[in-house]
DNA sequence: GCGGAAATATTGACCGAGTATAATATCCTG
DNA sequence: CAGGATATTATACTCGGTCAATATTTCCGC
């Protein structure tokens, strides 16, 4: 594959994505049609589908892969003897200290998430991505064919992150500060992760005494 | 409202639902169009939408309300001093003894769920129903405006039921017996519910010492 | 550079779910 | 049976998404 071709593809993809994002924020996700996006990006509708399989992916593309990526990395690099869930708690603590964008809520992030939730189809796609992330995490926790407990733990972790995010956004909606929102976020994360960690540990004791 | 009118409505609704279910199982959910269903039920497409807002509701209608209904009832009727989650564990134990259909897996149930999961749109709708059930449960746990922890607990309960069901279905897919499937189901239920119960209890101690 | 193979974009027709609206049939009440 | 309410229907439309055929571009060996 030639270099020039690839850069052009990246360019086209980026242009479509930019144009779409702009239109979406200006007029709402559901009010913008794919034909409009295609026209505004000077491509055909088919080309849009070429780069983004679904309309929703124009906004959520790679939104949730990110989460999984961080988790995977942390789990793989954890010190000997450390349980994966415990390591995820450590990771969240680090991200908090660094005010890392993935785990830091400002007004901009709140706007983004409120925008997503305002559209049923975007929210539906988000749920789907969450499920995919959970399955990926389960595999990370327990290998290629995770058992029920690993799936449950992974699902709970993803659910905790999601719920914590939702609550953080709610803080903004009630006029709270970014500081307060982040406090709420990490409080919930910690409670959820701790519960999952305890569940996994209980099982390990129960299975092999 | 007249009696005859209402019975006729029930009749029509039932006929549409029956006809649709039959067609779905015969040829797959996505391969059957609403026009076909309408024709087979001797009714117009609009009438179908009159009774079922979405195509998916022809299969999942009230599938998940049920869950919430049971939980609500149990929580409201629980003895003084009993925590809601603890009561849900008691409820599941009872349902298990009774081999109650809601908590009992046979081959027929497994077929149904495999059918649902075979269609992306059905699965998406199921996720949506799960979220609604979780929100309803959160309200049951903590009143009309539940806090983050109540939402997290409710979400975890619903997730546990879902994951346990999925694992039970997997047992069937691997050729396991109904007995084994039910054992897997209740084992996961218990682990999940116990973890949530511990989480809620920890918080109660942490908040007001 | 140039010609042919392969990837990619485009076109235009198509499908099916879901909506809007206005007209018509059916039932209930008085 | 009249008249109002409510169900049902026909029709036409929107939009996301797919398909198949065609055109265009890009790459690579010559």
């Amino acid at each position: 594959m030639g270099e020039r071709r690839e850069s052009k593809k990246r360019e086209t993809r980026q242009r479509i994505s930019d144009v779409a994002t702009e239109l979406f924020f200006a007029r709402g996700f559901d009010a913008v049609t794919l034909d409009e996006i295609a026209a505004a990006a000077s491509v055909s509708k088919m080309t849009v589908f070429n780069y983004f399989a679904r309309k929703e992916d124009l906004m959520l593309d790679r939104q949730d892969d990110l989460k999984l990526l961080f988790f995977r990395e942390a789990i793989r690099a954890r010190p000997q003897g450390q349980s994966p869930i415990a390591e995820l708690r450590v990771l969240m603590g680090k991200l908090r200290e660094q005010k890392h964008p993935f785990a830091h809520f400002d007004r901009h992030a709140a706007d983004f998430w409120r925008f997503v939730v305002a559209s049923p189809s975007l929210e539906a796609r988000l749920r789907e991505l969450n499920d995919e992330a959970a399955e990926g995490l389960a595999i990370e926790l327990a290998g290629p064919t995770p058992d029920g407990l690993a799936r449950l733990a992974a699902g709970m972790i993803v659910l905790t992150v999601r719920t914590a995010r939702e609550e953080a956004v709610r803080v903004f909606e009630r006029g709270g500060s970014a500081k307060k929102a982040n406090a709420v976020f990490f409080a919930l994360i910690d409670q959820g992760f701790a519960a999952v960690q305890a569940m996994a540990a209980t099982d390990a004791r129960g299975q092999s005494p």
Side-chain angles (χ1 to χ4, degrees), chain A:
Chain A
M1 178 81 58
E3 186 51 44
R4 181 147 157 230
R5 203 186 190 109
E6 283 210 341
S7 77
K8 210 164 194 180
K9 279 181 73 174
R10 269 195 306 271
E11 220 173 83
T12 305
R13 184 193 164 95
Q14 194 60 45
R15 189 173 72 249
I16 294 172
S17 174
D18 290 348
V19 159
T21 305
E22 195 171 345
L23 287 175
F24 287 154
F25 277 115
R27 295 173 22 216
F29 183 79
D30 298 299
V32 179
T33 71
L34 278 168
D35 284 315
E36 286 176 304
I37 296 169
S42 311
V43 293
S44 78
K45 194 173 70 162
M46 277 301 299
T47 304
V48 177
F49 278 116
N50 230 340
Y51 289 100
F52 302 90
R54 296 176 209 70
K55 187 188 180 187
E56 291 80 31
D57 291 350
L58 283 161
M59 289 236 52
L60 295 179
D61 197 41
R62 298 166 193 190
Q63 191 61 43
D64 253 41
D65 294 351
L66 203 62
K67 181 158 58 191
L68 186 52
L69 207 71
F70 274 106
F71 286 1
R72 208 194 311 260
E73 196 182 322
I75 289 174
R76 292 195 178 163
R78 95 194 105 116
Q80 270 283 356
Q82 172 85 312
S83 91
I85 310 285
E87 184 62 23
L88 291 184
R89 295 182 73 181
V90 172
L91 169 69
M92 292 308 291
K94 280 186 196 158
L95 292 180
R96 180 181 199 174
E97 280 172 23
Q98 299 169 10
K99 293 184 188 248
H100 192 285
F102 164 59
H104 187 73
F105 284 89
D106 51 15
R107 221 154 287 272
H108 182 275
D111 284 346
F112 174 80
W113 288 112
R114 272 192 292 116
F115 182 86
V116 169
V117 171
S119 155
S121 52
L122 273 180
E123 210 184 2
R125 178 65 178 143
L126 190 58
R127 276 191 280 263
E128 209 174 333
L129 290 173
N130 270 338
D131 274 13
E132 284 170 22
E135 181 68 15
L137 181 54
I139 289 171
E140 206 55 44
L141 292 176
T145 59
D147 62 0
L149 188 67
R151 282 212 174 82
L152 182 55
M156 282 183 171
I157 291 291
V158 171
L159 174 70
T160 300
V161 174
R162 173 187 161 188
T163 305
R165 173 180 35 78
E166 286 169 351
E167 289 300 315
V169 170
R170 254 182 255 266
V171 170
F172 274 108
E173 275 172 357
R174 286 194 292 260
S177 66
K179 192 168 180 169
K180 172 80 178 164
N182 279 288
V184 165
F185 179 78
F186 284 105
L188 265 183
I189 290 281
D190 215 60
Q191 285 179 108
F193 281 30
V196 176
Q197 190 180 4
M199 179 176 77
T202 297
D203 180 72
R205 282 204 304 273
Q207 294 291 78
S208 54

